[in-house]
Amino acid sequence: MTDTTAPASDAPSNAAAFEVRPNQAPLSVEARDEALADLKFGTQFTDHMARAQWVSGEGWGDRRVEAYGPLQLDPAAAVLHYAQEIFEGLKAYRWADGSVHLFRPQANAERFNRSAHRLALPQLPVEDFIGSIEALVAVDEAWVPGVEESSLYLRPYMFASEAFLGVRPAHVIDYLLIASPVGPYFAGGVKPVSIWVAQGYHRSGPGGTGDAKCGGNYAASLLPQQQAYENGCQQVLFLDAKDDRYLEELGGMNVFVVRADGTIETPRLTGTILEGITRYSVIQLLEDDGRKVVEKDITLDEVRTGIESGDIAEVFACGTAAVVTPVGRLASPSFDVTINGGEPGDVTMGIRTRLTDIQYGRAEDVYGWMRRIA
Ligand SMILES: *Cc1c(COP(=O)(O)O)cnc(C)c1O
């Protein structure tokens, strides 16, 4: 295992092991430029994808980069029946000088393997994880957008492709990496989101898969997410399954509260919360900035009363896709409270700028978090 605290530039890579079979019909330069001029989240994909396959008793092989396109999958593929699947999400950032960089990719590689362990999937060597990204970005570099706050979103994933309806860990596993150019998450400036407290549903429970990044967790979050929409909110906040009173996280983002005295709190990791890389990067940046950050159990009750009394000044969520997102409203059937007048708070926007300045090379990377890949 590599050390997440080591500089990202030291993470091993075997990009050369991925055989490149160029797409014979890539998008024209004009069509690509048009796509890059109108970026949405996760709708447009680059000309290639990377892949590898694992077979029980043989290990990983078939590493290649090939044309992006539909998969051939047996209808009995185990993933379609039993959801043996995990994924990751990270971004490649283009700096002003034209170079391209990843943010802490070995942390994603390590988390991928922790998720793989929980889902009884094979370990993917860190050098394959990083190698696949370097090999893909090398052929699709022109797809890394250059406009402000845009990036190339990378989605590595692994799933049970064996055609077998019996219930056991599959013997054939596919690893894939696809890439999607994305624009600023908030077109037209950062806007606070409204959050609905999930009612009667939990995204994970003790001993479940809450700390693994697997599609199944997301499947379980979609119905409460739909109820959030029906109640005029964009996101859902999940409480713990055991006591139904402690904050856990949003469907795909970790959550922080900022007290009026400047102290920052976030739910401690209990095994039911996904350990976000943005989460612990934010904790480190805040602490190094001289702020007090406390990881603890936080009840919904204290958050609601804290917002009402003014003791809680800001709430924000964080994750790779949206970076740091202010929360302007928290609602449930029994209350509906506005945070900081529904405006983004100073601590929230400060940490957002601090983090994105490192990611886009506008501030010195004293942590060695960035890895140059082009
Ligand atoms: C991916 C994810 C996050 C955020 O993790 P980052 O590493 O910061 O992108 C938070 N919660 C869930 C459930 C996630 O899947």
Side-chain angles (χ1 to χ4, degrees):
M1 213 155 121
T2 52
D3 177 6
T4 314
T5 57
S9 52
D10 289 349
S13 162
N14 66 355
F18 287 78
E19 180 201 327
V20 179
R21 300 180 193 167
N23 185 338
Q24 297 304 313
L27 216 57
S28 70
V29 173
E30 296 72 38
R32 185 179 66 220
D33 287 346
E34 213 173 287
L36 289 178
D38 179 30
L39 295 173
K40 302 191 177 64
F41 187 84
T43 52
Q44 180 82 45
F45 299 93
T46 67
D47 291 314
H48 297 85
M49 58 188 186
R51 66 192 307 169
Q53 191 173 63
W54 179 90
V55 179
S56 176
E58 295 173 23
W60 288 101
D62 241 350
R63 294 172 184 82
R64 55 187 198 266
V65 171
E66 63 185 23
Y68 181 94
L71 304 177
Q72 269 236 326
L73 204 58
D74 192 286
V79 64
L80 302 177
H81 306 274
Y82 310 126
Q84 194 190 5
E85 185 265 0
I86 57 167
F87 66 95
E88 268 302 327
L90 68 166
K91 287 171 168 173
Y93 305 87
R94 193 178 291 284
W95 287 9
D97 66 2
S99 58
V100 178
H101 303 251
L102 300 176
F103 178 72
R104 311 189 76 174
Q106 71 275 48
N108 294 92
E110 289 170 7
R111 186 172 65 189
F112 198 53
N113 279 334
R114 290 197 298 274
S115 301
H117 174 71
R118 181 62 185 85
L119 274 285
L121 286 161
Q123 298 288 294
L124 180 76
V126 172
E127 53 266 39
D128 280 326
F129 185 94
I130 293 178
S132 66
I133 294 171
E134 291 188 340
L136 180 61
V137 174
V139 288
D140 282 339
E141 199 214 304
W143 282 95
V144 184
V147 300
E148 200 164 327
E149 302 288 304
S150 66
S151 59
L152 185 66
Y153 183 80
L154 299 157
R155 169 53 60 87
Y157 59 110
M158 193 199 280
F159 59 88
S161 50
E162 183 187 8
F164 179 58
L165 290 185
V167 181
R168 57 143 170 77
H171 293 166
V172 183
I173 304 294
D174 277 36
Y175 166 75
L176 272 104
L177 167 68
I178 56 175
S180 173
V182 297
Y185 197 83
F186 297 97
V190 175
K191 282 189 280 296
V193 293
S194 299
I195 286 182
W196 177 253
V197 182
Q199 300 298 310
Y201 296 110
H202 301 276
R203 67 174 281 287
S204 75
T209 56
D211 59 354
K213 210 167 173 74
C214 66
N217 290 341
Y218 280 73
S221 76
L222 297 178
L223 178 60
Q225 173 78 45
Q226 191 173 45
Q227 294 175 340
Y229 293 146
E230 286 162 10
N231 286 281
C233 295
Q234 293 93 7
Q235 290 280 340
V236 55
L237 170 69
F238 288 97
L239 301 180
D240 77 290
K242 200 160 144 280
D243 298 305
D244 198 32
R245 43 189 300 248
Y246 299 105
L247 265 60
E248 293 217 310
E249 59 171 314
L250 312 190
M253 282 187 273
N254 295 112
V255 66
F256 286 73
V257 303
V258 183
R259 301 239 167 220
D261 70 3
T263 306
I264 292 145
E265 296 174 354
T266 191
R268 72 184 170 92
L269 300 173
T270 55
T272 55
I273 296 174
L274 199 283
E275 189 178 346
I277 293 158
T278 318
R279 176 187 179 279
Y280 59 71
S281 303
V282 159
I283 291 174
Q284 176 150 19
L285 290 172
L286 289 168
E287 284 180 344
D288 290 357
D289 224 26
R291 290 187 179 273
K292 188 166 166 222
V293 184
V294 187
E295 298 177 62
K296 61 188 271 274
D297 292 333
I298 303 171
T299 64
L300 177 64
D301 246 15
E302 66 178 293
V303 172
R304 176 180 58 83
T305 55
I307 292 168
E308 283 168 352
S309 73
D311 180 44
I312 288 177
E314 302 178 30
V315 176
F316 66 85
C318 70
T320 296
V323 199
V324 173
T325 304
V327 177
R329 186 181 149 221
L330 186 64
S332 82
S334 57
F335 67 83
D336 193 335
V337 289
T338 300
I339 304 152
N340 196 40
E343 295 299 320
D346 292 341
V347 175
T348 303
M349 295 311 284
I351 190 65
R352 184 176 213 286
T353 302
R354 182 84 182 84
L355 183 58
T356 53
D357 279 353
I358 294 173
Q359 291 170 332
Y360 287 93
R362 297 184 293 252
E364 193 197 343
D365 170 26
V366 296
Y367 302 99
W369 283 345
M370 306 306 295
R371 178 189 180 93
R372 182 170 181 179
I373 57 166

